[in-house]
Amino acid sequence: MMELRFQDGDASRIVAELVGRETERCAILWASHVALSELDRLVVSRIEFPTDDNYSDRSRISAQLKPDFIAQIGKRAARENLSAIFVHSHPGPAPPEFSEIDDEGETHLARFMSVRAPHTVHGAVVVSAGGWCARRLGEKIPMRVVSVGPRLQVLFDAAGPLGSTPLKFDRQVRALGSAGQKYLESLTVAIVGLGGTGSIAAEQLAHLGVRKFILVDPDRIETTNLNRVVGARVNDVNRHKTDVAADMIAQITSDPECKRVVGDVTRTAVARELRAADFIFACTDSHGSRAVIQQIAYQYLIPCVDMGSIITARAGQIAGIHGRVQALAPGLPCFTCCELLDSEEVRRDMMNAEERSRDQYIQGAHEPAPAVISINGTVTSMAMTMFLAMMVGVPSAARHLIYDARPPPRCEPFHSPAIRIAMFAPREAFLRGEICSRCSRGTTDMAIREFSPEGTPRAKIAFVGEVPSSGDLQRFVERKITWDPADANQPVTLDQLRDPDYIAKLDAVIWTQDRDNLKTLPKDLLEVGPRLLDHDVRVYVRLVTDDQQTAMPRQVIINQLRKGLLPTANLRPDEWQTVPENLRERENAFLLPCVYIIDTSLSWGDIAALVCDRPAGPSPKMDLQFDEKAFLARFGPEGHEERVMLLKRAFWNCSELQLISIDGGLSGAPVFKAYASLEAGLVQQGVTGAYPHLYFAKIGPRKKIIDEHDQYCGHIFEYVPFYLGPRLRRDRCNLGTTQGILVGDFVEGAESLISCARGGRCGHAIANLFDKTLGGWRKQQRVDKEFSLAAYLDKNGASRDKAS
Amino acid sequence: MIALPPERTALVQGLRADLAIEPLKAIFDQLGQTEPLVAPAHGDMHATNVLVRHGDAILIDFEKLEEHYPLTYDPASLEGGLVVEGFIEDLKKKRLTPKKLLSMISPLYEERALKMGQSTFCRPGDPTEWFFNAVNQIRALSWSAERVPGQYALTLAMCLIRKGCNSHPELRQKEPNTLRAIAFFLGQKILRAMSPTTATTSRGRKRRSSGGRQ
């Protein structure tokens, strides 16, 4: 069989130049010949339109090229080992056919070409307003014409959709049409990688009716694959994955043709096998293989869908579940455009900004990544629909999908389901260079950010002291970070930083020490720093080096921060040792907001990355209404402003707050019952106004709040059943300079054990307390041989005494 | 070292209990040299931190959570909490006098009553009936927390003494000191009864019997 392939735009160019003109015209397509056992494929790389001088005769019904032009074509085909395809047009709207005159002319032409360039095959195409017709030059062997782009179009296929489709595809034919179904059955599909996603792809393709496969994988089934490789059973361990997949396909579809290639696609011999494919599924997890597949996809004009899923976990907790499905075809961006060919970039590309800020864990290169079949299934199904859209015209425009299984951590709107698909969006991008014409960083931005209800991102920074050069400022612009006023590169003044409305919109302040006046920064920092942190503005301090390279510039800052009790990050180990025990938070990490000390060596680009990766939370709700007087009375005046700001940040999307003090007041961290009215837009307002949501809010010293938050994360979420403990609203918990706030769902409709017991109704509750509520902990019991009972009970006696 | 707040000393003396902590501490240290069963513990399980909804027990306030702590601690704190918090209204509204209360609940703190598997009952219809029910149930579910018999009683004694000594200023307005004094007395009573030394035991018995008769 013969096939001619060209890029999406080529077909329309040829039609525009040749069809509907006053006279017949010609075009020469230059193509590479891909000789395979069952297929001769001509892949067009260039189009040439003869000038008027090249025609010896041209009329409405004929066109003839001059012999010397033909001679040049023959010479060039021989020299460059290219196939020449002679295209000419026919008038009228009828589907074109080769005429007798064509047959005759071609006989001479074919003889000439076979003498001049005998090592390749050549073709002839006739095109009219009615369509295309193609064959091998001088012979009656028809040639399929395929245009490859975001959608693949078969412009001519003499074999056509003949015969009926089997009954088993009845439901599918109703969706794809009989021609679509037949076309699917005629395709040769390559699957590179037959692991978690590839095996699912193989299964789905077999069900779709694909019969011809090229299965590529170097590995054998291992026991650890059995959780996700579809079709693999216990006794398949140690068999080649390609064999297992082929067996599965054979059970689904009758007489399939599976070419099994046991090998790594990065080896040339293996990669060459992919040339016979009509479509490639890239189901690998390495960057090398992606690079190779990408090259084949664009060079041989074989459309491809690449897919990947990633589960990021930190300290045993899932931090993110993401999938990416991307089509590679002429007109679509390649991996290089999308900057996906760097492992770190791939991982980060799949995360939203908040997760990036929290994720400081870099997965080791050879560490097995977590993998779960359901995520693979989701991603593969998305890829399969994309395949159908590209090959048989299923109406789906997306060619680059990002799947986020978790709602963005800062956006838990009250009506949202716990798990949702955050955003599917096609990405616009362009070809650059030989493969892609243009790569644009802006276009790789995900739409997900615009749609996530995280509130208005602040993304505004201020410089104090030094402002970077315009080139360095560009590093911030690239990351969509702006400053005010955007056109003037002026540092901000202290007065601006004293303005609450100004700093409420700030993301970060980047403060550069004054070499000539080392004392200014510490003094100013102490004045406005606490308020900045209370507003969740991230403060970065750039240290300078003095002339003698002393530790002085650093020392003055550290001392002052210590004096003002400002939480500080990026301390040296010796400095960390001097932090008082009751203020130590994280030794090798830090909690935000804090003052981040930057070494002089850090470039502005790195600083921009730091700022971008650690965005501030939503702007505080400056006009939140609540009874400030009662709040003041409960706590006293000291630290009042900070506590108010914590409330305004925690309830940033609320308009009104009613606080009712509920605790006995013994612990030093008072607890409130908080009725919060959400702002319009988040909840429907009925005739009685917005229904308030009930939370508990606990406000206390920063360290105490951090410790309690850690307890929740470490021991409560995992072990206490979700309905038997308070559920923290982690998006609302936040920290200020010296204090913090915990917000959770309030336990409604409950009474205290005392009143329950006094009413004689506590039987169930006590049994449930020990069996269910504390069951998770009790199951962890062990005998302690190191410390005695007395040692334990005495250990924390003094501190424990206060509230017991 | 903890100590009784001054405003409670007279009350404790009125119950004919010792004021000194050191001897109690000595007994405690002597008896407490056993291996405990440990697990994560709430650490502050007084009765107002346990909420009840449709028979489910919901825990709040995990501020004092401990990763490894004796398994007997949470139930003992809960029982101790019921002593100091359960009768506030009864005393305020004079439905019970402190003496009456003590005589009614002290059978629960006899040496015999604190042995594994025991249940102690009161007369039906007594105003402390709910307390007996709750305490019996807490203990029934807590014997399994003991690695060595007597650990629950010892933990309970320590919780009661601590509660008796708690001098947080806000407590003064909220609850009568009497209940804290009673807790201190009961804790002491348990310790003396458990004490292996004859000298202290005889004194402890004397106290206990005198306490029982009041």
Side-chain angles (χ1 to χ4, degrees), chain A residues 664 698 704 711 715-716 724 726 748 751 753 758 763 768 773 781-782 784 787 789-790 792-793 796 800 804, chain B residues 32 34 36 38 43 50 52-53 55 57 59 61-63 65-67 69 73 86 90 137 162 166 170 174:
Chain A
K698 183 171 193 170
K704 207 177 178 113
Q711 308 280 32
H715 296 286
I716 298 168
L724 298 176
E748 270 183 287
E751 59 178 340
L753 186 72
R758 287 183 57 91
N768 283 338
T773 313
Q781 63 177 269
R782 60 175 177 87
D784 192 323
F787 295 105
L789 181 69
Y792 263 111
L793 297 179
N796 292 325
R800 195 164 285 288
S804 56
Chain B
T34 51
V38 296
V50 183
V52 180
R53 184 170 62 187
L59 273 178
D61 194 358
F62 288 84
E63 202 180 304
L65 188 138
E66 288 280 345
E67 209 172 325
Y69 217 64
Y73 186 75
D90 291 322
Q137 199 180 3
R162 283 231 180 104
N166 190 343
E170 290 191 32
K174 291 191 175 173

Side-chain angles (χ1 to χ4, degrees), chain A residues 327-338:
Chain A
L328 300 176
L332 295 174
C334 65
F335 291 136
T336 320
C337 303
C338 299

Side-chain angles (χ1 to χ4, degrees), chain A residues 410 534 536 592-593 645-651 705 730-736 739-743:
Chain A
R410 276 213 174 266
D534 293 346
D536 204 23
L592 293 163
M645 195 45 64
L646 287 174
L647 275 185
K648 288 180 174 176
R649 279 166 53 200
F651 296 96
I705 293 295
R730 283 194 264 188
D731 55 329
R732 297 195 186 275
C733 298
N734 57 52
L735 297 172
Q739 302 182 72
I741 183 167
L742 286 180
V743 180

Side-chain angles (χ1 to χ4, degrees), chain A residues 123-176:
Chain A
V125 174
V126 55
V127 59
S128 78
W132 297 67
C133 185
R135 63 184 180 184
R136 186 166 172 165
L137 191 70
E139 296 177 39
K140 298 269 158 99
I141 302 167
M143 184 162 67
R144 186 161 67 181
V145 181
V146 177
S147 156
V148 183
R151 254 198 73 186
L152 181 136
Q153 286 175 292
V154 180
L155 300 173
F156 172 70
D157 192 359
L162 293 174
S164 61
T165 48
L167 181 65
K168 75 169 180 177
F169 297 122
D170 176 67
R171 302 298 189 270
Q172 209 162 287
V173 167
R174 289 162 197 267
L176 309 177

Side-chain angles (χ1 to χ4, degrees), chain A residues 617-639:
Chain A
S619 291
K621 176 74 179 168
M622 296 308 274
D623 53 352
L624 181 74
Q625 291 177 19
F626 67 102
D627 187 356
E628 204 171 320
K629 272 188 197 149
F631 195 62
L632 187 62
R634 178 69 190 79
F635 285 98
E638 199 184 329

Side-chain angles (χ1 to χ4, degrees), chain A residues 124 391 562 632 663 684:
Chain A
M391 299 305 276
R562 185 69 42 78
L632 187 62
D663 78 322
Q684 292 238 312

